[in-house]
Amino acid sequence: MSKVFVFVCIAIATSLFFLLFPSPPKSSYHSLYISGSLSDNASISHHLYTLTKRPHIAGSKANADAAAYVLSTLSSYAIPSHIVSYDVALTYPLSRSLTLVRPPPEPPTTFDLRQEIYDSDPYADVASEVVPTFHAYAKSGTAVGPVVYANYGRVEDYEVLKEMGVSVEGTVVLARYGKIYRGDIVRNAFSAGAVGAVVYTDRKDYGGGGGDSRWFPDDKWMPPSGVQVGSLLTVDGDPTTPGWASTREEECERLSEEEVEKGGGVAMIPSLPISAKDGEAIIRTLGGQVANDDWQGSTDASVYRVGPGPAFLNLSYSGEERITTIQNVFGVIEGTEEPDRFVILGNHRDAWTFGAVDPNSGTATLLEVAQRLQKLQKRGWRPRRTIVLCNWDAEIGSTEWVEENREMLASRAVAYLNADCAVSGAGFHASATPQLDELLKQAAQQVQDPDNSSQSIYQSWVGSSDSPTIGRLGGGGSDFAAFVQHVGVPATDIFFGGGYPVYHSMYDDFVWMKKFGDPMFHRHAAVASIWGLVALRLADEEFLPFDYLSYAYELQKSVKELQEEISDKGINLIPLFKSIEKLKRAAIKINHHRKEIEENKGWTSMRKIRHLKVRELNDRLMMAERAFTDRDGLSGRPWYKHLIYAPVNHDEYGSKSFPGIGDAVEEAKSQSTEKSWSLVQHEVWRVTRAVRHASLVLNGELT
């Protein structure tokens, strides 16, 4: 009996202690996280300098060394860390050549296809480690034909050429970067009948517009010899393992080269990326009609004509595919109350060259987030839910991990927070699935603008508008794609700057960042503040800070835009409007339910019941995004399961609401048949059902 009495006394004393001396509220830790006392610009700068000392393309020793650095840094912060490896199919160049053949008596010109080292380049001694300029997953072969200039290589550009009476059949297309994904530039050229494609960086877009413009290292612009390299894949992940993870080779099923080509995710004609200097040299040899005004180049460039010819291009490319080990690095801070709910932050580490902006501005910032979280832990903070810090490899490493952990993520992932090119200049930008809009705005209101200390990031983000512009995550090209578009995990993507001239070239180095991107590393620190603050609120708040009213309003706006586009085509959108109205009512209902639980905290004896109610409501908020996915995926693109957000069919970078409807509309406009428009109606019904499913999940009741 005395033991029972002692136990009761201890329990009462413990309860009184926590009542009299409660632990600090989580919000106080959040305020501390974004305070100047925890941020460390010098540490961020050091991380970026270390990560970008050498070129570190995926599969290289230098990139493995970078993985080891990230792992050791996370471990030094007392964050349990580990590496998960995959064996993926990567491609590298063996040989390449490009010769311009002009009518006699002009001699042919063979381009050297080299990016030039600049004066006093501190990386001159490792420049030879930069992989020769190439397109990853380009088709090996030789293409010979007259040149046709196709502007940005978009579908609409080929329509203009057709209207001009210019045939692309059997030609080598010359197109410029700047509007769509390079893989779609090459794919569109193939669809138009070209036998090869050459893609260059026009000075109009990347060189400051020509004239008196200076270039790096004197200014931020791409030097004349600069070349944008990169992948041509139009599928996510390893193309030899579509839909499943590229685990160790002996355990992994793989498609053959023929099966990969049949799948349509790789290039079908040879291609090469080239510099502005080489691109303009080719353009000067073209005859034919004068290109439209919006197809012309920089102010001091010669007049652009479309060809074909009279000059020919002889393009030759040979590449090799290797099954290569890549390494994803993870740091895990386990939650105390809900360790089975995951808030995931991610950035990829590999770079086409030095990668100071893309992607290691994000990697350095991720390590800053980790360091601040460690400092919070030293002060007593522990997350309610588990935080997972991810440093992806080869960019496709995120897809392989998501495919391997699909079911776990589908049932346990709260959100994925991405940062790729975290900093390339001034100006904050964000994209998100709409239920996270308000959370992003609130976080931006709490963080000081790194370029104007008199205002918050939110104030500069809004500018003269009523509300900031938040993009959507329908495009590809970064690690959020697998989370949103394949599984249906709510997500964000944040950055300062935007497009930057030396993208994917050997001039994307620490010197460029120090001179032009973020000289004092204040913008990096600001990204870390917003990124981490959003993560903390998702990990710590009792109720998930999701707002599905924002989602309903965004869908209403998108349907009205669709209605304007196809108003005369006999497509019935009323069911879709009604389903969105149901989603709106469900969002209001769950918000009211949350307030009811908050207002009835009750006695200790009721806490267990309350905890279950909170958990159940949070699960509805978390799972509603999954309901926008469909097991069959988009028509002809089954990997993309999300019916609201996915890339458009002819531009992997492009983001469009209702991609299945959009693809069907484009096809119907092309075919102009009753059957093709009936397929548009079918896609409308598919989206309608998905929105209804999301409403049912939010309501939490069976029909």
Side-chain angles (χ1 to χ4, degrees):
M1 187 70 179
S2 61
K3 287 184 178 179
V4 173
F5 178 75
V6 170
F7 176 78
V8 171
C9 289
I10 292 172
I12 292 171
T14 302
S15 298
L16 286 172
F17 177 83
F18 284 114
L19 285 171
L20 294 172
F21 305 101
S23 60
K26 291 291 179 72
S27 60
S28 68
Y29 288 115
H30 300 178
S31 297
L32 180 61
Y33 174 86
I34 60 175
S35 69
S37 64
L38 260 64
S39 64
D40 190 347
N41 299 23
S43 177
I44 301 172
S45 174
H46 172 73
H47 290 318
L48 187 63
Y49 175 76
T50 303
L51 288 162
T52 60
K53 279 183 176 180
R54 311 184 81 88
H56 49 288
I57 194 169
S60 67
K61 182 184 181 302
N63 198 41
D65 292 341
Y69 176 79
V70 172
L71 181 69
S72 66
T73 302
L74 291 174
S75 299
S76 73
Y77 298 153
I79 296 175
S81 305
H82 65 280
I83 285 178
V84 176
S85 297
Y86 297 94
D87 289 344
V88 300
L90 300 179
T91 69
Y92 304 91
L94 291 174
S95 65
R96 71 238 205 287
S97 65
L98 184 66
T99 300
L100 177 66
V101 182
R102 292 179 289 247
E106 294 293 328
T109 299
T110 298
F111 299 104
D112 62 16
L113 305 178
R114 289 178 62 253
Q115 301 184 83
E116 297 172 2
I117 297 169
Y118 57 90
D119 291 341
S120 70
D121 183 351
Y123 302 104
D125 59 334
V126 294
S128 61
E129 297 177 22
V130 174
V131 174
T133 54
F134 80 118
H135 281 147
Y137 302 99
K139 186 175 181 62
S140 294
T142 298
V144 180
V147 186
V148 165
Y149 169 57
N151 198 22
Y152 293 106
R154 301 165 296 185
V155 171
E156 55 264 40
D157 293 324
Y158 288 102
E159 291 173 355
V160 170
L161 288 173
K162 186 177 180 181
E163 291 170 2
M164 295 174 72
V166 177
S167 173
V168 180
E169 194 73 32
T171 67
V172 174
V173 159
L174 176 68
R176 53 184 176 179
Y177 287 113
K179 298 297 182 183
I180 65 173
Y181 172 58
R182 72 188 72 80
D184 290 302
I185 294 175
V186 177
R187 184 171 65 168
N188 293 343
F190 169 72
S191 298
V195 296
V198 175
V199 192
Y200 77 105
T201 48
D202 197 302
R203 286 187 297 147
K204 176 182 178 180
D205 302 300
Y206 295 88
D212 297 329
S213 296
R214 298 181 300 165
W215 53 79
F216 184 68
D218 298 316
D219 207 334
K220 68 177 183 177
W221 302 106
M222 178 83 94
S225 71
V227 178
Q228 180 193 134
V229 302
S231 175
L232 299 182
L233 276 183
T234 54
V235 294
D236 276 80
D238 183 343
T240 69
T241 61
W244 64 90
S246 299
T247 51
R248 288 186 309 165
E249 191 172 4
E250 62 268 27
E251 297 177 356
C252 184
E253 175 189 7
R254 293 188 185 277
L255 300 185
S256 67
E257 183 178 345
E258 293 75 17
E259 289 171 319
V260 170
E261 286 195 355
K262 188 177 180 181
V266 296
M268 299 301 292
I269 54 176
S271 69
L272 281 175
I274 62 171
S275 66
K277 179 180 67 175
D278 294 346
E280 289 185 11
I282 295 170
I283 282 205
R284 285 194 294 270
T285 69
L286 294 184
Q289 300 173 60
V290 173
N292 295 339
D293 289 345
D294 57 343
W295 287 41
Q296 295 297 323
S298 56
T299 54
D300 60 343
S302 60
V303 174
Y304 285 16
R305 296 179 180 270
V306 297
F312 274 61
L313 274 178
N314 186 330
L315 182 164
S316 180
Y317 174 76
S318 176
E320 65 170 339
E321 181 181 288
R322 301 180 209 156
I323 302 300
T324 307
T325 299
I326 62 171
Q327 298 175 308
N328 293 335
V329 184
F330 297 91
V332 182
I333 305 173
E334 188 169 3
T336 56
E337 296 178 56
E338 298 182 76
D340 61 338
R341 292 294 180 261
F342 309 136
V343 176
I344 306 169
L345 294 79
N347 151 269
H348 78 96
R349 176 188 66 258
D350 63 291
W352 292 104
T353 59
F354 295 96
V357 174
D358 185 7
N360 296 133
S361 62
T363 313
T365 305
L366 183 70
L367 295 177
E368 165 71 3
V369 171
Q371 184 177 36
R372 291 197 207 177
L373 294 180
Q374 179 231 8
K375 292 175 180 178
L376 288 186
Q377 286 183 291
K378 285 184 175 181
R379 288 163 171 80
W381 166 83
R382 297 293 184 273
R384 177 189 182 99
R385 304 178 184 92
T386 295
I387 293 176
V388 185
L389 305 172
C390 311
N391 186 225
W392 312 113
D393 198 356
E395 204 154 8
I396 63 175
S398 55
T399 299
E400 302 311 310
W401 188 76
V402 168
E403 289 174 342
E404 184 170 36
N405 295 280
R406 182 188 298 112
E407 304 310 320
M408 285 276 284
L409 294 170
S411 62
R412 300 185 179 188
V414 171
Y416 174 71
L417 313 176
N418 190 65
D420 193 331
C421 305
V423 178
S424 61
F428 179 72
H429 300 270
S431 297
T433 47
Q435 75 274 65
L436 293 171
D437 286 2
E438 290 305 313
L439 178 57
L440 277 171
K441 292 176 187 177
Q442 291 164 15
Q445 288 169 353
Q446 293 181 252
V447 179
Q448 181 179 292
D449 181 356
D451 296 298
N452 185 346
S453 60
S454 67
Q455 62 183 12
S456 68
I457 287 175
Y458 180 81
Q459 290 171 307
S460 63
W461 187 17
V462 171
S464 59
S465 305
D466 295 329
S467 181
T469 299
I470 299 179
R472 297 304 166 209
L473 297 175
S478 196
D479 297 289
F480 59 75
F483 289 91
V484 177
Q485 299 158 14
H486 191 61
V487 178
V489 175
T492 65
D493 183 49
I494 62 172
F495 57 93
F496 267 86
Y500 65 105
V502 296
Y503 175 66
H504 281 197
S505 75
M506 69 177 284
Y507 308 107
D508 181 8
D509 62 18
F510 186 81
V511 175
W512 190 94
M513 177 63 75
K514 188 74 175 163
K515 277 191 162 188
F516 307 112
D518 191 11
M520 302 301 294
F521 288 85
H522 292 155
R523 294 164 187 159
H524 284 77
V527 172
S529 292
I530 292 186
W531 200 5
L533 183 57
V534 169
L536 285 169
R537 290 193 57 188
L538 288 166
D540 285 342
E541 291 191 5
E542 182 180 30
F543 293 94
L544 292 177
F546 288 177
D547 180 9
Y548 277 90
L549 266 177
S550 294
Y551 221 127
Y553 292 139
E554 182 70 14
L555 292 180
Q556 282 180 333
K557 184 177 74 173
S558 297
V559 177
K560 288 177 182 177
E561 292 172 356
L562 175 64
Q563 188 177 41
E564 292 176 4
E565 182 181 1
I566 58 173
S567 59
D568 60 340
K569 303 302 180 181
I571 302 300
N572 182 11
L573 295 176
I574 293 175
L576 183 51
F577 276 113
K578 287 183 176 179
S579 71
I580 295 170
E581 191 61 35
K582 287 182 179 179
L583 179 67
K584 182 179 176 182
R585 291 198 296 270
I588 293 171
K589 182 179 177 181
I590 198 169
N591 288 346
H592 286 163
H593 189 192
R594 176 165 46 196
K595 288 180 182 178
E596 288 174 3
I597 299 174
E598 286 175 330
E599 291 168 359
N600 293 284
K601 292 188 176 182
W603 295 92
T604 304
S605 60
M606 299 295 291
R607 284 179 185 169
K608 185 173 182 181
I609 296 174
R610 185 178 186 278
H611 173 77
L612 292 174
K613 286 184 176 181
V614 171
R615 172 83 167 191
E616 188 273 338
L617 186 143
N618 281 338
D619 282 352
R620 284 188 271 149
L621 290 169
M622 181 180 74
M623 297 303 292
E625 185 72 43
R626 318 285 197 265
F628 293 121
T629 64
D630 184 286
R631 66 174 64 90
D632 295 328
L634 298 180
S635 178
R637 297 187 289 158
W639 187 89
Y640 296 101
K641 307 295 184 186
H642 209 287
L643 299 189
I644 310 299
Y645 297 117
V648 295
N649 205 14
H650 293 287
D651 180 14
E652 180 78 4
Y653 287 162
S655 178
K656 189 172 185 178
S657 299
F658 316 130
I661 298 175
D663 288 348
V665 167
E666 290 304 310
E667 187 67 20
K669 286 179 178 179
S670 174
Q671 293 187 9
S672 297
T673 64
E674 184 178 341
K675 182 179 180 181
S676 64
W677 284 106
S678 70
L679 290 176
V680 174
Q681 187 67 66
H682 170 65
E683 292 296 335
V684 170
W685 280 115
R686 291 185 72 199
V687 174
T688 300
R689 289 190 287 271
V691 177
R692 285 177 179 170
H693 292 159
S695 301
L696 290 172
V697 172
L698 286 178
N699 284 326
E701 298 172 353
L702 295 172
T703 56

